[in-house]
């Protein structure tokens, strides 16, 4: 019962007002934007965006009935996730599409949840997905990134601090949304046959431009959610 209560206390939403004060929110936003704007920092931070991209393929693949067998992050900051199942069909299309919009979707969810006291449940869910994926790494770099991600998530989850969780989720959420735009900019210029839009174009009658447009729409909606949450907090505080 003590373990059950300890876990429960780290999963339930926060009570009371947990939204960031305006000065702290501005600081968090400044740090997040610095991480994606300064190129040496971005070359490291983009691994987190790539990780979410690849796990987006994996999680959606599992949800539509495919088998997630492994994934790898590469030194050039690209990645690859493998799911097994039918070579065509709705499930294959969904899992192939999910990579590029996932950082933006998760980033918006992080900011939205943090502003409403739901950081702890989201941290718990994220930790569960990371542990699920940890045994499916396929390279040393991937293992290193995953160990850092799991270790940081465990610390954030076990030594629960509602204010700190909110700050981390808002900062990471902004990084993921801006990072999604940067990744999208790269894939729009990519004319290779192996890119996600190119694969989707072979699976459907739609050209790769239509799939790129779908990514733009998702990223724009996620950006609107984050901007709305941030501006509302700044006005109220």
């Amino acid at each position: 019962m003590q373990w059950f209560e300890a876990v429960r206390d780290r999963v339930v939403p926060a009570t009371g007002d947990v939204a960031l004060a305006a000065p702290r929110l501005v600081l968090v936003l400044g740090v997040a934007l610095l991480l994606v704007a300064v190129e040496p920092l971005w070359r490291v931070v983009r691994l987190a965006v790539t990780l979410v991209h690849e796990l987006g393929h994996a999680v959606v693949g599992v949800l539509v009935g495919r088998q997630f067998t492994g994934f790898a992050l590469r030194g050039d900051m690209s990645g690859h996730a493998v799911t097994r199942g039918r070579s065509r069909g709705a499930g294959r299309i969904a899992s192939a599409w999910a990579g590029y919009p996932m950082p933006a979707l998760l980033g918006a969810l992080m900011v939205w949840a943090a502003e409403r006291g739901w950081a702890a449940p989201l941290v718990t869910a994220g930790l569960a997905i990371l542990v699920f994926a940890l045994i499916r790494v396929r390279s040393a770099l991937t293992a290193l990134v995953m160990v850092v991600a799991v270790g940081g998530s465990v610390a954030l989850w076990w030594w629960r601090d509602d204010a700190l969780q909110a700050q981390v989720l808002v900062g990471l959420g902004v990084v993921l949304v801006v990072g999604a735009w940067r990744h999208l900019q790269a894939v729009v210029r990519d004319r290779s046959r192996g890119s996600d839009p190119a694969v989707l174009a072979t699976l459907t009658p739609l050209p790769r431009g239509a799939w790129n447009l779908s990514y733009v729409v998702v990223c724009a909606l996620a950006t609107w959610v984050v901007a709305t949450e941030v501006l509302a907090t700044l006005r109220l505080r």
Side-chain angles (χ1 to χ4, degrees):
M1 289 299 295
Q2 290 180 341
W3 276 102
F4 174 80
E5 292 177 358
V7 171
R8 182 197 61 191
D9 290 343
R10 289 162 176 81
V11 174
V12 296
T15 58
D17 185 7
V18 296
L20 298 182
R24 185 161 294 182
L25 176 59
V26 171
L27 178 62
V28 169
L29 293 175
V31 172
L33 295 176
L34 185 68
L35 291 174
V36 293
V38 178
E39 199 60 31
L41 297 176
W42 167 244
R43 284 197 289 268
V44 177
V45 171
R46 70 176 293 186
L47 277 169
V49 183
T50 303
L51 175 62
V52 174
H53 175 118
E54 300 306 333
L55 292 183
H57 285 305
V59 171
V60 172
V62 170
L63 291 176
V64 297
R66 298 179 65 82
Q67 182 183 6
F68 174 40
T69 60
F71 75 109
L73 307 179
R74 305 187 182 100
D76 62 357
M77 308 307 170
S78 63
H80 184 62
V82 178
T83 61
R84 291 181 179 175
R86 293 180 58 190
S87 60
R88 305 187 73 87
R92 176 77 170 92
I93 294 169
S95 62
W97 180 83
Y100 279 101
M102 192 56 65
L105 290 171
L106 180 59
L109 177 61
M110 284 179 166
V111 175
W112 184 90
E115 291 295 317
R116 287 163 175 76
W118 280 78
L122 190 57
V123 170
T124 304
L127 179 58
I129 292 173
L130 289 173
V131 171
F132 164 74
L134 183 61
I135 61 174
R136 292 167 174 81
V137 300
R138 294 294 182 265
S139 74
L141 176 62
T142 312
L144 175 61
V145 173
M146 287 295 292
V147 167
V148 172
V150 171
S153 298
V154 167
L156 193 64
W157 181 80
W158 184 253
W159 289 286
R160 174 176 177 173
D161 182 301
D162 292 333
L164 179 60
Q165 285 187 349
Q167 291 175 49
V168 171
L169 260 63
V170 169
L172 184 55
V174 172
V175 167
L176 289 176
V177 171
V178 179
W181 282 110
R182 294 199 62 168
H183 276 205
L184 180 57
Q185 182 182 20
V187 77
V188 167
R189 296 197 304 261
D190 186 357
R191 308 310 299 173
S192 70
R193 296 181 180 180
S195 69
D196 291 353
V199 171
L200 288 163
T202 66
L203 295 172
T204 69
L206 298 177
R208 70 170 72 195
W211 294 108
N212 284 331
L213 179 60
S214 73
Y215 298 150
V216 170
V217 171
V218 173
C219 287
L221 289 174
T223 303
W224 177 80
V225 170
V226 171
T228 300
E229 293 295 326
V230 168
L231 291 175
T233 300
L234 292 176
R235 284 197 299 267
L236 291 174
R237 295 172 185 273

